[in-house]
Each structure stands twice: as structure tokens, then as C-alpha cells.
Amino acid sequence: MIQPIVFRDNTLRLLDQRRLPAREEWLELTDPQQVIDAIRDLVVRGAPAIGVTAAYGLVLGAGRLRESRPEFDQDFAALCDRMTVARPTAVNLAWAVRRMQAVVAEHPEAAVLALRAALLDEACAMQVADVEANRALGHHGATLLSDGATVLTHCNAGALATAGYGTALGVVRAAVELGKSIRVIADETRPYLQGARLTAWELQRDDIPCTVITDSMSGHLMQRGAVDAVVVGADRIAANGDVANKIGTYMVAVLARENGIPFYVAAPTSTIDLELATGAEIPIEERDGEEVLVIGDQRMAPEGVPAAYPAFDITPAHLVDAIITETGVARGPYDTSLRACCTATEGG
Amino acid sequence: MIQPIVFRDNTLRLLDQRRLPAREEWLELTDPQQVIDAIRDLVVRGAPAIGVTAAYGLVLGAGRLRESRPEFDQDFAALCDRMTVARPTAVNLAWAVRRMQAVVAEHPEAAVLALRAALLDEACAMQVADVEANRALGHHGATLLSDGATVLTHCNAGALATAGYGTALGVVRAAVELGKSIRVIADETRPYLQGARLTAWELQRDDIPCTVITDSMSGHLMQRGAVDAVVVGADRIAANGDVANKIGTYMVAVLARENGIPFYVAAPTSTIDLELATGAEIPIEERDGEEVLVIGDQRMAPEGVPAAYPAFDITPAHLVDAIITETGVARGPYDTSLRACCTATEGG
């Protein structure tokens, strides 16, 4: 199984997703600031993967803070603040940081050495739970795909975007495990090309047929009847079912609806943010336009022409046919169904 | 004025659009096969530009064919067949070739030397008429844009796509000439990046503000109210108003309708194909997937993963708010209004 995040011997090893598929390079990080930089620079991306990475970043940090309390608590809180703002849209980052902060809060009398061990346990538990959640949601979602289906996906919501197995690609993998024949059409997903670089790489390793298209082609293929279902991941889901995901997802959702094709979102409940009523409250990260203008080392537009780079968009809930979580498949109205999914997690 | 096609001293000079904006290189062609290759390899692209280029290619060919008749006529017909299939979607190519064939047919007794002169005259006339048509349609279309409007465009329907001035960008240029303040958002237009490379280059030369986005961002910007109108060109328009244009146009049109934004198509009547009842009859060019997978000299997806590359798509007429031609602005139902535009041309 592809596992992009490995923590061992007090070192966080991250598969450098900027280099894939040309090179499989691993970065070895020992300092929490390196982890913040790695998240910001897209060494690792994908909401669940960012969450687990941040948790290990805090483990690394805990080993370097003042060793007495309450000084440790103060330092840890400051580090958590810096970690949380590394990227704003994926709620899993803040969610993971809050879980780590809770460990500290729950052990007010513990020695720092014991606290470090508890933090490492918590990060490991999150990593294991993420893979389990993906397997569970994958198997829930697999029932939605017919044998022989062609599934279009946008960005990479695969093993590389999670602790392993994937969300949208987890649904595909689970369907294949059930013996269904599934073909994938991968939007290349400019500007970072997660689809062409990462989704294609993952699926090739799993021998699942994949065809890459530019983001501008999905509508045409849907219009021609070449797509049976769309499955994407999510970076944050509001209480009403509005979905923040990689820029371009909204266009895919509108085109799917226009062409009568089901549009599914696959995400663990850690991606659901019940504190936000609607997607309008989700912060959309604006990245540097240079990342749009320069591909490889080549500038595409003339020097001096600016670019915009909103990194995510909001797909309104009414365009989402189902949200696939580890506790079940939610359908609209999402205000009640998503809450039920989250409660089921807490209960189980 | 940017003029991408120059014929002088029996040599066709083409601005090599594959190299822009990094380098302004001109190819000098003297052989009709070079012209066919240049059209196929996207040295020159854009329906009206292809038409004019093909006409000059036939002029070059006429200078190399057997110098007696009817041998000349046979050779010329064979060359016309080869020229017509260089690219299938843009009707202007076949239209220009037919006009050149008509010159031969209309002078059954002429000496080949005289025929060559007549063919050169016809090609020059087409080039001049295309610029005039663009200026005329530009000024018709300019009335549709408000002062201060932000116009989104897809691909390059500018001077580089025509004999000069442009269709969609002609509308923008004409609005600016009328004193309106217009900002352009240019879809980068993968895989060939006509937007980032060519539209941005043209507009920068004309000091018209332009921001580049990836093709996946237009929906988000429309949703956020950042786009006032969409104006695109066309490669072929069927009698019912269905529009073939660069892949991705259909998605932009669906998103514009979803967000209540007017979607305009700017094209000379030479792009209207009254012989095709609907867009379903328009052939869609399928290009080599390698052009999707390799950017610059860098392969994006893993070796062995295929890509699809339908180069155009069909926007159904019901999504098109107006078709702007040199003889006026057509509105739906297009069956009657487009015919009227074409008749007005013939009359004038």
C-alpha cells in the first residue's frame, strides 16, 4: 500500500509529491518548522494527509520545547497556532491540531516526557484511523459504482492525499476489490497537476486503468456519455453539505448535474466542519499566481502578466448527490444526515 | 497591429505561435506541404487564420504545379484535398479552399500564369476582408460590453487567430476604442495554453489589463461575481447556432448560464456552416494525447498512462446569448438569425 507519511525514530519521512511521478524522493524532517514549510510548499497535500502530517509535526515540536510545565504548554500552544495557519482551507489541519492540544489539556499534571509519548500515540492513532476510515468509506461508496463504470475524478484524493488508501480513490479501490471493473478519467488538475502526476501514478501502481484529460475536457466527455459517475474528495464540508475542494471541482459538479451524472464526495468525518453553517464561511486559500504562470521552469505567459490562484472552490450542496463517509452515505438534506454521520463516529 | 500572416515575394511568413511569448520567430514557407504541416502542427491556429493561411498555401502550390491545363486543375484539386484535411473542425479551412477552387473554376480558359495571379488576388482579398470583418464584428459586439466590465475569454480568438484584430478580442479592442474600460480574464487553455501564451501576449501589447487563470478557475470567479460577460471565438457554427470551439468552451458556457452571465460568441460569417443542421454533425478533431501529457519537454504523467485530447467541443445554441458577426448580432432562434447574417454578407 502506498503510504506517503512515515514516522520512525523521531523523524517524519514525507514522500515529496512535488517530484512525482518523475522521482520518488523522501524528505526527512526533524524540526516542526520544516513540517510547516512542507505543508505550505505542497510536499504533502490533501486534507487528511495534511492533518496527520501536522500531528507528527507537533510530535517533533514537543521534543524541542521547554521541558517543564506550564512552559511546555505555552510553547506548544504557540507552535499549534503556527501549524494551524500553514494552510487555511482544509479543516483536517485544525482538527488534528485540536486533537493534539486536547492531549496536552487532558494531562495537566503529566511530566513532559510522558506527554510526548501521549502525543506520539495520538498522532499514530490518527494515522491508523485515517486509513481505516478510508477503507470503510471506500466500501460504502463502492456500492454506488456499477460494474464497468467510468469514474471521473478531479485532483488527487488518493493514498497520497491521506494516510493511505484514499477517499475518492478509496471508493474506486474498494469497487475494484469487490470485483467490479472500473476505469478512471483523471482531470490533470492545474496548476499543480495532482491528477496527471499523482492520481495517474497511484492508479498505475494498482493496475486500475486511467486516462488523463485536461480540466477543460470533462464537460465534453460527460456530454458524450463517457462518464458514469464523478467521485471527488473534499478539504472541508460545511454543516449544510457545501463542499470546499480543489479549484475546478465546482465546474465538474455543475457539468455533472447538467448531464445527469451523479456527483459524489468522499471524505472522512474529520473533513466535516459542523461549526460552519454554509460554504460561504469556508476560507479559500489564495496562492501565488506564479504557481499558475510557471510550469516546470518555464514561464508560460509574458513577463508582467499577472495570474490569480484561488486554490479551492465551493460546490453548493444541491449539486452533491451523496457524501460518502466512513460511517455511511449521507444524502441531502445534509443538515441532518451529516450530523448523523459525525455522531455515529463519536459513538463508535 | 499584430499581423501573424504575411505574404510577400512568393513567401508565406508565419509568426510561430508555438514559440510565443518566449520568442517571436517567423517561419518562411515556400512549399504548400510546409503550409499543411504548419497548420497541423499549430504554428498557426484559429479558424480565420487557418483559412487565410490555407489560401496562401494554395497560392504557393499553384506556382509549382504543371503549367498547362487541365493538368493544372487536376493537380490543384489534389492539393486542395490535402489542404482541406489538415485540420477537420474549423470550417474556415474548407471555406477558404472552396473559394480558391472557385477561382480556378471561374476561369476555365485562363492561362496558368493568369490563374496564379487571380489566386493570389483572392487570397489577399480574403486576408483583407477578414480584418475588416473582425473590425465590424468588434464594433457590433462592443455595444454589448459595459464600461468597467470584466470579460472572460477562453483560448485565443485574437489577432493571432485571424488575419488581424481578432474576433473575441476584436470585441474587447473595439470596446476599448470606444473609451470603455475593460479587463480581461484569460483562461490559460490547456493543453496548448493559447490563453496564457497568446491572449496575454496580445493584450499586453495593447495595454489591456489581463489576468491569467487556469481553466478550472472560471466557474469559481463567475460564482464570486468577478465576471460580467464571456466572449469567445468559434471554429464552426452550425445552422441552429450550436458552436464548435476550443475544448473547454462548453464548460464555460454551462457555468456562465448557471451564474446568469451572458455568453457571447464572436465569429465572422465565414465560420458559419449553414450546411450542417446541428453541432452533432461537426467533426471534432482528436489530437495526440502526448500533447496533453508533455508540457515543454517534461512528461507530467507516468510513462504508459494515456491521455485523451479532443481539441474542440460543442456548445449547444441554447447556452449562447448572442453570436456576433460582421453583419450584426444574431440572437436565438439562430436558424433564422444566422441565415440573415450570412445573406447580409452576400448582399454587401
Coordinates of all heavy atoms in Angstrom, one line a residue, chain A residues 101-146:
Chain A
Q101 N -3.8 19.2 20.9 CA -3.9 20.2 22.0 C -4.7 19.5 23.1 O -4.5 19.7 24.3 CB -4.6 21.5 21.6 CG -3.6 22.4 20.8 CD -4.2 23.7 20.3 OE1 -5.2 23.6 19.6 NE2 -3.7 24.8 20.7
A102 N -5.7 18.8 22.8 CA -6.6 18.1 23.8 C -5.8 17.1 24.6 O -6.0 17.0 25.8 CB -7.8 17.4 23.1
V103 N -4.8 16.5 24.0 CA -4.0 15.5 24.7 C -3.2 16.3 25.8 O -3.2 15.8 27.0 CB -3.0 14.8 23.8 CG1 -1.9 14.1 24.6 CG2 -3.7 13.9 22.8
V104 N -2.7 17.4 25.5 CA -2.0 18.2 26.5 C -3.0 18.7 27.6 O -2.7 18.6 28.8 CB -1.3 19.5 25.8 CG1 -0.7 20.4 26.8 CG2 -0.3 19.0 24.8
A105 N -4.1 19.1 27.1 CA -5.1 19.6 28.1 C -5.6 18.5 29.1 O -5.9 18.8 30.2 CB -6.3 20.3 27.4
E106 N -5.7 17.3 28.5 CA -6.2 16.2 29.3 C -5.2 15.7 30.3 O -5.6 14.8 31.2 CB -6.7 15.1 28.4 CG -8.0 15.4 27.7 CD -8.2 14.5 26.4 OE1 -7.4 13.6 26.2 OE2 -9.1 14.9 25.6
H107 N -4.0 16.1 30.2 CA -2.9 15.6 31.1 C -2.2 16.8 31.8 O -1.0 17.0 31.6 CB -1.9 14.7 30.4 CG -2.5 13.5 29.8 ND1 -3.1 13.5 28.5 CD2 -2.6 12.2 30.2 CE1 -3.5 12.3 28.2 NE2 -3.2 11.5 29.2
P108 N -3.0 17.5 32.6 CA -2.4 18.8 33.1 C -1.2 18.5 34.1 O -0.4 19.4 34.3 CB -3.6 19.4 33.8 CG -4.5 18.3 34.1 CD -4.3 17.3 33.0
E109 N -1.2 17.3 34.7 CA -0.2 17.1 35.7 C 1.0 16.2 35.1 O 2.0 16.0 35.8 CB -0.8 16.3 36.9 CG -2.0 17.0 37.5 CD -1.7 18.4 38.1 OE1 -0.5 18.6 38.5 OE2 -2.6 19.2 38.2
A110 N 0.8 15.7 33.9 CA 1.8 14.8 33.4 C 3.2 15.4 33.2 O 3.3 16.6 32.9 CB 1.3 14.2 32.1
A111 N 4.2 14.7 33.3 CA 5.6 15.1 33.0 C 5.7 15.3 31.5 O 5.0 14.6 30.7 CB 6.6 14.2 33.5
V112 N 6.5 16.2 31.0 CA 6.7 16.4 29.6 C 7.1 15.2 28.9 O 6.6 14.9 27.8 CB 7.7 17.6 29.4 CG1 8.1 17.6 27.9 CG2 7.1 18.9 29.8
L113 N 7.9 14.3 29.5 CA 8.3 13.1 28.8 C 7.1 12.2 28.6 O 7.0 11.6 27.4 CB 9.3 12.4 29.7 CG 10.3 11.5 29.0 CD1 11.3 12.3 28.2 CD2 11.2 10.7 30.1
A114 N 6.2 12.1 29.5 CA 5.0 11.3 29.4 C 4.1 11.9 28.3 O 3.4 11.2 27.5 CB 4.3 11.1 30.7
L115 N 4.1 13.2 28.3 CA 3.2 14.0 27.4 C 3.7 13.7 26.0 O 2.8 13.5 25.0 CB 3.3 15.4 27.7 CG 2.1 16.3 27.5 CD1 0.8 15.7 27.9 CD2 2.3 17.7 28.1
R116 N 5.0 13.7 25.8 CA 5.5 13.4 24.4 C 5.0 12.1 23.9 O 4.6 11.9 22.8 CB 7.0 13.5 24.5 CG 7.6 14.9 24.5 CD 9.1 14.8 24.5 NE 9.7 16.0 24.8 CZ 10.9 16.1 25.4 NH1 11.6 15.0 25.7 NH2 11.4 17.3 25.6
A117 N 5.1 11.1 24.8 CA 4.7 9.7 24.4 C 3.2 9.7 24.1 O 2.8 9.1 23.1 CB 5.0 8.8 25.6
A118 N 2.4 10.5 24.9 CA 1.0 10.5 24.6 C 0.7 11.2 23.3 O -0.2 10.8 22.5 CB 0.3 11.2 25.8
L119 N 1.5 12.2 23.0 CA 1.3 12.9 21.7 C 1.6 12.0 20.5 O 0.9 12.0 19.5 CB 2.1 14.2 21.7 CG 1.6 15.3 22.6 CD1 2.6 16.4 22.7 CD2 0.3 15.9 22.0
L120 N 2.7 11.3 20.7 CA 3.1 10.3 19.6 C 2.0 9.3 19.4 O 1.6 9.0 18.3 CB 4.4 9.7 19.9 CG 4.9 8.6 18.9 CD1 5.0 9.2 17.5 CD2 6.3 8.1 19.4
D121 N 1.5 8.8 20.5 CA 0.4 7.8 20.4 C -0.8 8.4 19.7 O -1.4 7.7 18.9 CB -0.1 7.4 21.9 CG 0.9 6.4 22.5 OD1 1.8 6.0 21.8 OD2 0.7 6.2 23.7
E122 N -1.1 9.6 20.0 CA -2.3 10.3 19.4 C -2.1 10.4 17.9 O -3.0 10.2 17.1 CB -2.6 11.6 20.0 CG -3.8 12.3 19.5 CD -5.1 11.7 20.0 OE1 -5.0 10.6 20.7 OE2 -6.2 12.2 19.7
A123 N -0.9 10.9 17.5 CA -0.6 11.1 16.0 C -0.7 9.7 15.3 O -1.3 9.6 14.2 CB 0.8 11.7 15.9
C124 N -0.1 8.7 15.9 CA -0.2 7.3 15.3 C -1.6 6.9 15.2 O -2.0 6.3 14.2 CB 0.6 6.3 16.2 SG 2.4 6.5 16.1
A125 N -2.4 7.1 16.2 CA -3.8 6.7 16.2 C -4.6 7.4 15.1 O -5.4 6.8 14.4 CB -4.5 7.0 17.6
M126 N -4.3 8.7 14.9 CA -4.9 9.4 13.8 C -4.5 8.8 12.5 O -5.4 8.7 11.6 CB -4.5 10.9 13.8 CG -5.4 11.7 14.7 SD -5.0 13.5 14.5 CE -4.1 13.7 16.0
Q127 N -3.3 8.5 12.3 CA -2.8 7.9 11.0 C -3.5 6.6 10.8 O -4.0 6.4 9.7 CB -1.3 7.7 11.1 CG -0.7 7.2 9.8 CD 0.8 7.2 9.8 OE1 1.4 7.1 10.9 NE2 1.4 7.2 8.6
V128 N -3.5 5.7 11.8 CA -4.2 4.4 11.6 C -5.7 4.6 11.4 O -6.3 4.0 10.5 CB -4.0 3.5 12.9 CG1 -4.8 2.3 12.8 CG2 -2.5 3.2 13.0
A129 N -6.3 5.5 12.1 CA -7.7 5.7 12.0 C -8.1 6.3 10.6 O -9.1 5.9 10.0 CB -8.2 6.6 13.1
D130 N -7.2 7.1 10.0 CA -7.5 7.6 8.7 C -7.5 6.5 7.7 O -8.4 6.5 6.8 CB -6.5 8.7 8.3 CG -6.9 9.4 7.0 OD1 -8.0 10.0 7.0 OD2 -6.1 9.4 6.1
V131 N -6.6 5.6 7.7 CA -6.6 4.5 6.7 C -7.9 3.7 6.9 O -8.5 3.3 6.0 CB -5.3 3.6 6.9 CG1 -5.4 2.5 5.9 CG2 -4.1 4.5 6.6
E132 N -8.2 3.4 8.2 CA -9.4 2.6 8.5 C -10.7 3.3 8.0 O -11.6 2.7 7.4 CB -9.5 2.4 10.0 CG -8.6 1.2 10.4 CD -8.6 1.1 12.0 OE1 -9.4 1.8 12.6 OE2 -7.8 0.3 12.4
A133 N -10.7 4.7 8.2 CA -11.9 5.4 7.7 C -12.0 5.4 6.2 O -13.1 5.2 5.7 CB -11.7 6.9 8.2
N134 N -10.8 5.4 5.6 CA -10.8 5.4 4.1 C -11.3 4.1 3.6 O -12.1 4.0 2.6 CB -9.5 5.8 3.5 CG -9.1 7.2 3.8 OD1 -9.9 8.0 4.1 ND2 -7.8 7.5 3.8
R135 N -10.9 3.0 4.2 CA -11.3 1.7 3.8 C -12.8 1.6 4.0 O -13.6 1.0 3.2 CB -10.6 0.6 4.6 CG -9.2 0.4 4.2 CD -8.6 -0.9 4.7 NE -7.2 -1.1 4.2 CZ -6.8 -1.6 3.1 NH1 -7.7 -2.0 2.2 NH2 -5.5 -1.6 2.8
A136 N -13.3 2.1 5.2 CA -14.7 2.0 5.4 C -15.5 2.8 4.5 O -16.5 2.3 3.9 CB -15.0 2.4 6.9
L137 N -15.1 4.1 4.2 CA -15.9 4.9 3.3 C -15.8 4.4 1.9 O -16.7 4.5 1.1 CB -15.5 6.4 3.4 CG -14.2 6.9 2.8 CD1 -14.3 7.2 1.3 CD2 -13.8 8.2 3.6
G138 N -14.6 3.8 1.6 CA -14.4 3.2 0.3 C -15.5 2.1 0.0 O -16.1 2.0 -1.0
H139 N -15.7 1.3 1.0 CA -16.6 0.2 0.8 C -18.1 0.7 0.8 O -18.9 0.1 0.1 CB -16.4 -0.9 1.8 CG -15.1 -1.7 1.4 ND1 -13.9 -1.3 1.7 CD2 -15.0 -2.8 0.6 CE1 -13.0 -2.2 1.1 NE2 -13.7 -3.1 0.5
H140 N -18.4 1.7 1.6 CA -19.7 2.3 1.5 C -19.9 2.9 0.1 O -21.0 2.7 -0.6 CB -19.9 3.5 2.5 CG -20.0 3.0 3.9 ND1 -21.0 2.2 4.3 CD2 -19.3 3.4 5.0 CE1 -20.9 2.0 5.6 NE2 -19.9 2.7 6.1
G141 N -18.9 3.6 -0.4 CA -19.0 4.2 -1.7 C -19.0 3.3 -2.9 O -19.7 3.5 -3.9
A142 N -18.4 2.1 -2.7 CA -18.2 1.2 -3.8 C -19.6 0.7 -4.3 O -19.8 0.3 -5.5 CB -17.4 0.0 -3.4
T143 N -20.6 0.7 -3.4 CA -21.9 0.2 -3.7 C -22.6 1.1 -4.7 O -23.5 0.8 -5.4 CB -22.8 0.1 -2.5 OG1 -22.9 1.3 -1.9 CG2 -22.2 -0.9 -1.5
L144 N -22.1 2.4 -4.8 CA -22.7 3.4 -5.7 C -22.1 3.2 -7.1 O -22.7 3.8 -8.0 CB -22.4 4.8 -5.2 CG -22.9 5.1 -3.8 CD1 -22.4 6.5 -3.3 CD2 -24.4 5.1 -3.8
L145 N -21.1 2.5 -7.3 CA -20.5 2.3 -8.7 C -20.9 1.0 -9.3 O -20.8 -0.1 -8.6 CB -19.0 2.4 -8.6 CG -18.4 3.7 -8.0 CD1 -16.8 3.6 -8.0 CD2 -18.9 4.9 -8.7
S146 N -21.3 1.1 -10.5 CA -21.7 -0.2 -11.3 C -20.5 -0.8 -11.8 O -19.4 -0.2 -12.1 CB -22.6 0.2 -12.4 OG -23.6 1.1 -12.0

